[in-house]
Amino acid sequence: MNLNNLKKYGLFMLFIVFVLLSFIFNYNVGEGIYDNFLQFTLTMVKFLPAVFILIGLFDTWVDREVIERHLGNQSNHLAFIWAILLSGTTVGGLYVAFPVAHSLLKKGASLRIIFTYIGAAAICRIPMTLFEASYVGIKFTLIRLLTSIPLIIISSILLEKYLKGRGYQIIDELTS
């Protein structure tokens, strides 16, 4: 094993050793960490195949020109509404939002729309919003959404300007 592989997999190997030692010495914290890791892994295994199939279909069926026209750099303020609506229908949380965001970026969506989509996917998903409204009330949920959505849009615009001002570029290692 060379040094690059050791750097690449060292943390994971350290985790495996920690978990093994936790089970050998009955260290409850380590066993709990392993249980959480196992649950997270199983959740990922359940979600990700369907997500990647849907993203593959999205890549194949949706033209780049459509995404650039509605969500690209030349799009208007309606692009934010499209991004929020798309994020609202995202099922699976950020497990799904990040691959979809990557696909949108590859199709020509602007950074501000990508940031809006990810931010809205974290707080505006329909199932989560309905669950919240049933527990804390519609008034609270509406106030939270009416406060959060403008902040997401403003922070997305500012973040895009900041990153463009610093010459930041996203390099896609998967396609390059």
Side-chain angles (χ1 to χ4, degrees):
M1 179 177 287
N2 63 25
L3 188 58
N4 286 336
N5 284 339
L6 187 61
K7 285 181 182 176
K8 196 173 188 179
Y9 301 111
L11 187 60
F12 185 71
M13 291 187 324
L14 184 65
F15 171 74
I16 296 296
V17 169
F18 173 73
V19 167
L20 288 175
L21 290 176
S22 295
F23 278 101
I24 290 171
F25 295 110
N26 289 329
Y27 184 56
N28 291 336
V29 174
E31 292 174 4
I33 289 171
Y34 172 74
D35 288 339
N36 287 336
F37 174 77
L38 186 62
Q39 291 297 321
F40 177 76
T41 302
L42 291 175
T43 301
M44 296 289 282
V45 167
K46 290 177 191 172
F47 272 105
L48 286 185
V51 169
F52 289 130
I53 288 171
L54 290 174
I55 289 173
L57 293 173
F58 175 79
D59 275 344
T60 304
W61 289 344
V62 178
D63 291 331
R64 182 180 177 90
E65 292 78 26
V66 171
I67 298 297
E68 286 178 341
R69 184 175 56 235
H70 293 288
L71 304 174
N73 286 324
Q74 303 305 319
S75 61
N76 58 20
H77 62 282
L78 289 177
F80 294 108
I81 294 172
W82 287 121
I84 291 168
L85 288 175
L86 179 63
S87 69
T89 60
T90 301
V91 177
L94 294 177
Y95 304 127
V96 177
F98 283 122
V100 170
H102 180 261
S103 184
L104 288 172
L105 186 67
K106 281 183 9 186
K107 290 277 188 177
S110 67
L111 278 179
R112 67 181 180 277
I113 298 303
I114 298 296
F115 293 137
T116 300
Y117 171 77
I118 292 172
I123 66 164
C124 297
R125 292 188 314 268
I126 291 173
M128 183 179 77
T129 303
L130 293 175
F131 181 77
E132 175 188 283
S134 68
Y135 273 91
V136 294
I138 292 175
K139 184 178 177 183
F140 176 84
T141 301
L142 286 176
I143 290 171
R144 186 186 64 81
L145 288 175
L146 292 174
T147 305
S148 301
I149 290 173
L151 291 175
I152 288 172
I153 292 171
I154 291 168
S155 64
S156 298
I157 293 169
L158 292 175
L159 191 55
E160 181 188 56
K161 285 183 179 184
Y162 173 77
L163 291 174
K164 282 187 174 179
R166 303 199 96 196
Y168 182 79
Q169 291 182 343
I170 295 176
I171 299 171
D172 191 353
E173 293 181 3
L174 297 176
T175 58
S176 60

